[in-house]
Structures are given as C-alpha cells and as structure tokens.
Amino acid sequence: MRANPAGNITLFVLDPVPIGGRAGLASRLMALPGSDVEQVGFVCPPASGCAGRMEMAGGEFCGNAARAFGMLMAQRLGGLPQVLVEVSGCGAPVTVDVDLSAGTARAQMPLPRAVSPARVDGRSGVLVDLVGIAHLVVEDAPPAWSFSRGPNPFSRASRTWKPTASFSWTQPGAL
C-alpha cells in the first residue's frame, strides 16, 4: 500500500516478511522502474493492545510513516479520531490524531536519544539522534544533495550509533 505523508512516499508491506528479508525487499521495491518510493514500512502484529505495529526497513523511527500508518489503522477501525500504534525506533506506543475528512494526521514524536553540536564541511549544526536515524539541522544552508549525499561524517562517531545521514534544514533563526 502506497502512502504520501508530506511528500515522503512510503510503501507499506501488508504481508508478513521475516526481519532478515526486509532490507533486501525494501531495496528491490524502491528500485522498481518508475518508483517514487523513498522508504518501506512493514506491517506486523502488535505486541501490546495497540491498533497495529509498523516497522521501518532499517528499524528507525519515521514521523511521516507513523502518521500515515496511524491514519491507515484509524480507517481500518471505522474512522477513529485517535489511535495508538507501535512503531520501530520508539520504545513506547505512539499516539496518532487523525482527521479523515481533512486527510491529515499528527503523531507524537519520541524524545531524541541525544542532541549535540556538530560540524560538517565547515558548517555548524545540531545533530539529533532519534534511534536508528539522525538529523543534522544546519542553519542558513540551502538544501544541497552534494552535502546530504556525501560521505557520512558521523559513521564512526560511536560504536553503538550508526546514523543514516538524513539531513534537515531550517531557516535562519529557527532554532
């Protein structure tokens, strides 16, 4: 099932897939000709009494995918305005508020594991570690694929943390 939360195209795999096969399947699905899919989430049975569970291919937390999954669960449960879902990268259920008539959803965000100053290519920023994914927030820097697609300067920053080099930009003074 394809979802478009804020332009972050997410494909939900509804059939069970063993954890060891998820990364390969996600890569193949995203590589299909004409695919605009940016990420893949796998729908799994919930471990608790939540409406459902969704695990990203990399085990990370994704707010956009959590919102889209919450909306899917709300629709499947008869149009509920709020659902609790389990999502990868988050140790507690996530509350998703849904407005089906407006086609919107808002998800609770987990607190970051760490927030620290960082410097990349001469630019100062803030590195936000969200368990499984990291965002480098840089002020006054236009989005540039050459910057975000370059070598991951943080890959050896920690033996336990392997960020995926996802980057976010803000307007000057927004931090």
Side-chain angles (χ1 to χ4, degrees), residues 6-168:
N8 189 206
I9 307 302
T10 304
L11 187 67
F12 292 123
V13 176
L14 305 177
D15 294 324
V17 176
I19 292 174
R22 291 179 186 172
L25 178 58
S27 293
R28 290 190 304 277
L29 290 170
M30 291 187 294
L32 289 172
S35 174
D36 60 352
V37 173
E38 296 179 25
Q39 59 189 9
V40 178
F42 295 86
V43 178
C44 308
S48 64
C50 290
R53 178 171 182 80
M54 185 271 305
E55 297 178 2
M56 298 302 294
E60 74 276 15
F61 175 82
C62 176
N64 284 332
R67 291 184 315 112
F69 181 65
M71 182 173 274
L72 173 64
M73 292 296 97
Q75 288 172 333
R76 287 186 168 186
L77 294 171
L80 295 176
Q82 186 179 76
V83 292
L84 279 176
V85 294
E86 299 170 11
V87 296
S88 58
C90 191
V94 173
T95 300
V96 182
D97 295 312
V98 178
D99 184 340
L100 292 175
S101 63
T104 61
R106 181 176 57 195
Q108 173 186 12
M109 290 287 294
L111 293 174
R113 176 170 49 184
V115 177
S116 58
R119 191 157 184 82
V120 176
D121 290 343
R123 294 189 183 273
S124 295
V126 176
L127 188 63
V128 182
D129 173 2
L130 290 170
V131 183
I133 190 167
H135 293 274
L136 177 63
V137 182
V138 179
E139 276 195 75
D140 200 22
W145 287 114
S146 62
F147 182 72
S148 66
R149 297 287 187 207
N152 180 352
F154 304 106
S155 62
R156 292 191 181 107
S158 166
R159 294 188 194 284
T160 59
W161 176 49
K162 304 287 186 234
T164 60
S166 175
F167 296 88
S168 300

